[in-house]
PDB file of all heavy atoms in Angstrom:
ATOM      1  N   ALA A 266     -33.546   1.645 -24.133  1.00 79.00           N
ATOM      2  CA  ALA A 266     -34.765   1.628 -23.348  1.00 79.00           C
ATOM      3  C   ALA A 266     -34.816   0.574 -22.299  1.00 79.00           C
ATOM      4  O   ALA A 266     -35.705   0.447 -21.512  1.00 79.00           O
ATOM      5  CB  ALA A 266     -35.987   1.474 -24.249  1.00 79.00           C
ATOM      6  N   THR A 267     -33.803  -0.273 -22.230  1.00 77.00           N
ATOM      7  CA  THR A 267     -33.795  -1.422 -21.264  1.00 77.00           C
ATOM      8  C   THR A 267     -34.126  -0.995 -19.892  1.00 77.00           C
ATOM      9  O   THR A 267     -34.941  -1.496 -19.193  1.00 77.00           O
ATOM     10  CB  THR A 267     -32.404  -2.134 -21.278  1.00 77.00           C
ATOM     11  OG1 THR A 267     -32.165  -2.509 -22.632  1.00 77.00           O
ATOM     12  CG2 THR A 267     -32.513  -3.393 -20.458  1.00 77.00           C
ATOM     13  N   GLY A 268     -33.473   0.018 -19.464  1.00 67.00           N
ATOM     14  CA  GLY A 268     -33.581   0.485 -18.080  1.00 67.00           C
ATOM     15  C   GLY A 268     -34.885   1.096 -17.790  1.00 67.00           C
ATOM     16  O   GLY A 268     -35.221   1.280 -16.539  1.00 67.00           O
ATOM     17  N   ILE A 269     -35.618   1.465 -18.793  1.00 71.00           N
ATOM     18  CA  ILE A 269     -36.991   2.162 -18.527  1.00 71.00           C
ATOM     19  C   ILE A 269     -38.097   1.297 -19.026  1.00 71.00           C
ATOM     20  O   ILE A 269     -39.155   1.760 -19.324  1.00 71.00           O
ATOM     21  CB  ILE A 269     -36.976   3.524 -19.140  1.00 71.00           C
ATOM     22  CG1 ILE A 269     -36.718   3.502 -20.617  1.00 71.00           C
ATOM     23  CG2 ILE A 269     -36.093   4.463 -18.403  1.00 71.00           C
ATOM     24  CD1 ILE A 269     -36.904   4.760 -21.390  1.00 71.00           C
ATOM     25  N   ALA A 270     -37.851  -0.053 -19.114  1.00 54.00           N
ATOM     26  CA  ALA A 270     -38.866  -0.914 -19.690  1.00 54.00           C
ATOM     27  C   ALA A 270     -40.137  -0.893 -18.985  1.00 54.00           C
ATOM     28  O   ALA A 270     -41.256  -0.810 -19.611  1.00 54.00           O
ATOM     29  CB  ALA A 270     -38.321  -2.317 -19.672  1.00 54.00           C
ATOM     30  N   SER A 271     -40.126  -0.759 -17.691  1.00 51.00           N
ATOM     31  CA  SER A 271     -41.382  -0.760 -16.925  1.00 51.00           C
ATOM     32  C   SER A 271     -42.143   0.526 -17.218  1.00 51.00           C
ATOM     33  O   SER A 271     -43.383   0.482 -17.336  1.00 51.00           O
ATOM     34  CB  SER A 271     -41.166  -0.939 -15.419  1.00 51.00           C
ATOM     35  OG  SER A 271     -40.314   0.138 -14.962  1.00 51.00           O
ATOM     36  N   SER A 272     -41.495   1.588 -17.304  1.00 44.00           N
ATOM     37  CA  SER A 272     -42.202   2.873 -17.638  1.00 44.00           C
ATOM     38  C   SER A 272     -42.754   2.809 -19.029  1.00 44.00           C
ATOM     39  O   SER A 272     -43.888   3.248 -19.293  1.00 44.00           O
ATOM     40  CB  SER A 272     -41.113   4.029 -17.542  1.00 44.00           C
ATOM     41  OG  SER A 272     -40.707   4.142 -16.275  1.00 44.00           O
ATOM     42  N   VAL A 273     -41.984   2.242 -19.961  1.00 41.00           N
ATOM     43  CA  VAL A 273     -42.521   2.189 -21.341  1.00 41.00           C
ATOM     44  C   VAL A 273     -43.817   1.364 -21.393  1.00 41.00           C
ATOM     45  O   VAL A 273     -44.760   1.738 -22.005  1.00 41.00           O
ATOM     46  CB  VAL A 273     -41.433   1.559 -22.297  1.00 41.00           C
ATOM     47  CG1 VAL A 273     -42.014   1.350 -23.679  1.00 41.00           C
ATOM     48  CG2 VAL A 273     -40.254   2.509 -22.364  1.00 41.00           C
ATOM     49  N   ASN A 274     -43.780   0.221 -20.676  1.00 38.00           N
ATOM     50  CA  ASN A 274     -44.996  -0.630 -20.687  1.00 38.00           C
ATOM     51  C   ASN A 274     -46.213   0.076 -20.098  1.00 38.00           C
ATOM     52  O   ASN A 274     -47.271  -0.027 -20.578  1.00 38.00           O
ATOM     53  CB  ASN A 274     -44.701  -1.899 -19.881  1.00 38.00           C
ATOM     54  CG  ASN A 274     -43.749  -2.808 -20.690  1.00 38.00           C
ATOM     55  OD1 ASN A 274     -43.534  -2.672 -21.862  1.00 38.00           O
ATOM     56  ND2 ASN A 274     -43.020  -3.658 -19.915  1.00 38.00           N
ATOM     57  N   GLY A 275     -45.952   0.846 -19.086  1.00 37.00           N
ATOM     58  CA  GLY A 275     -47.089   1.462 -18.310  1.00 37.00           C
ATOM     59  C   GLY A 275     -47.619   2.650 -19.019  1.00 37.00           C
ATOM     60  O   GLY A 275     -48.725   3.045 -18.764  1.00 37.00           O
ATOM     61  N   CYS A 276     -46.818   3.360 -19.872  1.00 38.00           N
ATOM     62  CA  CYS A 276     -47.261   4.586 -20.286  1.00 38.00           C
ATOM     63  C   CYS A 276     -46.978   4.728 -21.769  1.00 38.00           C
ATOM     64  O   CYS A 276     -46.755   5.808 -22.312  1.00 38.00           O
ATOM     65  CB  CYS A 276     -46.422   5.735 -19.596  1.00 38.00           C
ATOM     66  SG  CYS A 276     -46.431   5.651 -17.872  1.00 38.00           S
ATOM     67  N   SER A 277     -47.069   3.653 -22.447  1.00 32.00           N
ATOM     68  CA  SER A 277     -46.671   3.673 -23.925  1.00 32.00           C
ATOM     69  C   SER A 277     -47.585   4.553 -24.728  1.00 32.00           C
ATOM     70  O   SER A 277     -47.097   5.113 -25.793  1.00 32.00           O
ATOM     71  CB  SER A 277     -46.740   2.226 -24.456  1.00 32.00           C
ATOM     72  OG  SER A 277     -48.059   1.757 -24.290  1.00 32.00           O
ATOM     73  N   SER A 278     -48.783   4.806 -24.364  1.00 31.00           N
ATOM     74  CA  SER A 278     -49.667   5.660 -25.185  1.00 31.00           C
ATOM     75  C   SER A 278     -49.301   7.177 -25.054  1.00 31.00           C
ATOM     76  O   SER A 278     -49.811   7.967 -25.858  1.00 31.00           O
ATOM     77  CB  SER A 278     -51.079   5.435 -24.815  1.00 31.00           C
ATOM     78  OG  SER A 278     -51.284   5.859 -23.517  1.00 31.00           O
ATOM     79  N   GLN A 279     -48.544   7.494 -24.057  1.00 30.00           N
ATOM     80  CA  GLN A 279     -48.251   8.907 -23.849  1.00 30.00           C
ATOM     81  C   GLN A 279     -46.737   9.135 -23.775  1.00 30.00           C
ATOM     82  O   GLN A 279     -46.327   9.859 -22.856  1.00 30.00           O
ATOM     83  CB  GLN A 279     -48.936   9.402 -22.573  1.00 30.00           C
ATOM     84  CG  GLN A 279     -50.419   9.255 -22.659  1.00 30.00           C
ATOM     85  CD  GLN A 279     -51.170   9.828 -21.492  1.00 30.00           C
ATOM     86  OE1 GLN A 279     -50.895  11.000 -21.092  1.00 30.00           O
ATOM     87  NE2 GLN A 279     -51.948   9.032 -20.791  1.00 30.00           N
ATOM     88  N   SER A 280     -45.996   8.445 -24.586  1.00 30.00           N
ATOM     89  CA  SER A 280     -44.607   8.477 -24.414  1.00 30.00           C
ATOM     90  C   SER A 280     -43.991   9.930 -24.389  1.00 30.00           C
ATOM     91  O   SER A 280     -44.219  10.683 -25.288  1.00 30.00           O
ATOM     92  CB  SER A 280     -43.951   7.736 -25.587  1.00 30.00           C
ATOM     93  OG  SER A 280     -42.609   7.851 -25.514  1.00 30.00           O
ATOM     94  N   GLY A 281     -43.363  10.184 -23.308  1.00 29.00           N
ATOM     95  CA  GLY A 281     -42.639  11.449 -23.190  1.00 29.00           C
ATOM     96  C   GLY A 281     -43.555  12.730 -23.057  1.00 29.00           C
ATOM     97  O   GLY A 281     -43.082  13.816 -23.058  1.00 29.00           O
ATOM     98  N   SER A 282     -44.804  12.452 -22.932  1.00 29.00           N
ATOM     99  CA  SER A 282     -45.673  13.650 -22.825  1.00 29.00           C
ATOM    100  C   SER A 282     -45.973  13.998 -21.368  1.00 29.00           C
ATOM    101  O   SER A 282     -45.916  13.254 -20.470  1.00 29.00           O
ATOM    102  CB  SER A 282     -46.979  13.333 -23.614  1.00 29.00           C
ATOM    103  OG  SER A 282     -47.690  12.391 -22.812  1.00 29.00           O
ATOM    104  N   GLY A 283     -46.338  15.231 -21.212  1.00 29.00           N
ATOM    105  CA  GLY A 283     -46.840  15.782 -19.927  1.00 29.00           C
ATOM    106  C   GLY A 283     -47.926  16.687 -20.190  1.00 29.00           C
ATOM    107  O   GLY A 283     -48.346  16.877 -21.352  1.00 29.00           O
ATOM    108  N   PRO A 284     -48.447  17.290 -19.182  1.00 26.00           N
ATOM    109  CA  PRO A 284     -49.516  18.311 -19.384  1.00 26.00           C
ATOM    110  C   PRO A 284     -48.968  19.473 -20.127  1.00 26.00           C
ATOM    111  O   PRO A 284     -47.798  19.836 -20.014  1.00 26.00           O
ATOM    112  CB  PRO A 284     -49.888  18.690 -17.931  1.00 26.00           C
ATOM    113  CG  PRO A 284     -48.707  18.313 -17.106  1.00 26.00           C
ATOM    114  CD  PRO A 284     -48.032  17.082 -17.799  1.00 26.00           C
ATOM    115  N   PRO A 285     -49.750  20.153 -20.960  1.00 26.00           N
ATOM    116  CA  PRO A 285     -49.313  21.310 -21.741  1.00 26.00           C
ATOM    117  C   PRO A 285     -48.639  22.320 -20.821  1.00 26.00           C
ATOM    118  O   PRO A 285     -49.269  22.855 -19.890  1.00 26.00           O
ATOM    119  CB  PRO A 285     -50.555  21.859 -22.403  1.00 26.00           C
ATOM    120  CG  PRO A 285     -51.500  20.667 -22.380  1.00 26.00           C
ATOM    121  CD  PRO A 285     -51.133  19.854 -21.125  1.00 26.00           C
ATOM    122  N   GLY A 286     -47.418  22.618 -21.084  1.00 28.00           N
ATOM    123  CA  GLY A 286     -46.694  23.572 -20.294  1.00 28.00           C
ATOM    124  C   GLY A 286     -46.444  23.165 -18.906  1.00 28.00           C
ATOM    125  O   GLY A 286     -46.043  23.974 -18.062  1.00 28.00           O
ATOM    126  N   GLY A 287     -46.745  21.944 -18.575  1.00 29.00           N
ATOM    127  CA  GLY A 287     -46.565  21.566 -17.240  1.00 29.00           C
ATOM    128  C   GLY A 287     -45.112  21.391 -16.803  1.00 29.00           C
ATOM    129  O   GLY A 287     -44.534  20.297 -16.928  1.00 29.00           O
ATOM    130  N   ALA A 288     -44.621  22.421 -16.327  1.00 29.00           N
ATOM    131  CA  ALA A 288     -43.166  22.351 -15.970  1.00 29.00           C
ATOM    132  C   ALA A 288     -43.022  22.703 -14.503  1.00 29.00           C
ATOM    133  O   ALA A 288     -42.009  23.208 -14.017  1.00 29.00           O
ATOM    134  CB  ALA A 288     -42.432  23.394 -16.788  1.00 29.00           C
ATOM    135  N   GLY A 289     -44.058  22.485 -13.743  1.00 32.00           N
ATOM    136  CA  GLY A 289     -44.002  23.005 -12.361  1.00 32.00           C
ATOM    137  C   GLY A 289     -43.472  22.147 -11.373  1.00 32.00           C
ATOM    138  O   GLY A 289     -43.414  22.459 -10.191  1.00 32.00           O
ATOM    139  N   GLY A 290     -42.978  21.001 -11.748  1.00 32.00           N
ATOM    140  CA  GLY A 290     -42.365  20.122 -10.741  1.00 32.00           C
ATOM    141  C   GLY A 290     -43.159  18.844 -10.537  1.00 32.00           C
ATOM    142  O   GLY A 290     -44.324  18.850 -10.591  1.00 32.00           O
ATOM    143  N   SER A 291     -42.460  17.789 -10.250  1.00 33.00           N
ATOM    144  CA  SER A 291     -43.067  16.535 -10.122  1.00 33.00           C
ATOM    145  C   SER A 291     -43.771  16.397  -8.812  1.00 33.00           C
ATOM    146  O   SER A 291     -43.368  16.900  -7.798  1.00 33.00           O
ATOM    147  CB  SER A 291     -42.019  15.486 -10.277  1.00 33.00           C
ATOM    148  OG  SER A 291     -42.512  14.169  -9.903  1.00 33.00           O
ATOM    149  N   GLN A 292     -44.813  15.643  -8.835  1.00 31.00           N
ATOM    150  CA  GLN A 292     -45.490  15.309  -7.609  1.00 31.00           C
ATOM    151  C   GLN A 292     -44.899  14.114  -6.926  1.00 31.00           C
ATOM    152  O   GLN A 292     -45.321  13.641  -5.906  1.00 31.00           O
ATOM    153  CB  GLN A 292     -47.001  15.011  -7.828  1.00 31.00           C
ATOM    154  CG  GLN A 292     -47.818  16.157  -8.215  1.00 31.00           C
ATOM    155  CD  GLN A 292     -48.229  16.948  -7.057  1.00 31.00           C
ATOM    156  OE1 GLN A 292     -47.583  16.899  -6.060  1.00 31.00           O
ATOM    157  NE2 GLN A 292     -49.399  17.626  -7.168  1.00 31.00           N
ATOM    158  N   ASN A 293     -43.857  13.610  -7.478  1.00 30.00           N
ATOM    159  CA  ASN A 293     -43.161  12.466  -6.914  1.00 30.00           C
ATOM    160  C   ASN A 293     -44.129  11.244  -6.810  1.00 30.00           C
ATOM    161  O   ASN A 293     -44.253  10.722  -5.641  1.00 30.00           O
ATOM    162  CB  ASN A 293     -42.502  12.774  -5.602  1.00 30.00           C
ATOM    163  CG  ASN A 293     -41.715  11.692  -5.061  1.00 30.00           C
ATOM    164  OD1 ASN A 293     -41.147  10.864  -5.878  1.00 30.00           O
ATOM    165  ND2 ASN A 293     -41.470  11.567  -3.762  1.00 30.00           N
ATOM    166  N   THR A 294     -44.653  10.897  -7.863  1.00 26.00           N
ATOM    167  CA  THR A 294     -45.505   9.708  -7.824  1.00 26.00           C
ATOM    168  C   THR A 294     -44.732   8.466  -8.066  1.00 26.00           C
ATOM    169  O   THR A 294     -45.409   7.422  -8.279  1.00 26.00           O
ATOM    170  CB  THR A 294     -46.700   9.877  -8.848  1.00 26.00           C
ATOM    171  OG1 THR A 294     -46.072  10.206 -10.101  1.00 26.00           O
ATOM    172  CG2 THR A 294     -47.589  11.024  -8.413  1.00 26.00           C
ATOM    173  N   GLY A 295     -43.524   8.559  -8.157  1.00 27.00           N
ATOM    174  CA  GLY A 295     -42.691   7.324  -8.259  1.00 27.00           C
ATOM    175  C   GLY A 295     -42.187   7.088  -9.648  1.00 27.00           C
ATOM    176  O   GLY A 295     -41.706   5.927  -9.922  1.00 27.00           O
ATOM    177  N   GLY A 296     -42.258   7.965 -10.549  1.00 25.00           N
ATOM    178  CA  GLY A 296     -41.702   7.768 -11.884  1.00 25.00           C
ATOM    179  C   GLY A 296     -42.548   8.393 -12.979  1.00 25.00           C
ATOM    180  O   GLY A 296     -43.383   9.263 -12.703  1.00 25.00           O
TER     181      GLY A 296
END
Side-chain angles (χ1 to χ4, degrees):
Chain A
T267 306
I269 55 173
S271 58
S272 296
V273 172
N274 290 339
C276 309
S277 58
S278 65
Q279 299 183 53
S280 176
S282 66
S291 167
Q292 290 276 29
N293 186 25
T294 51

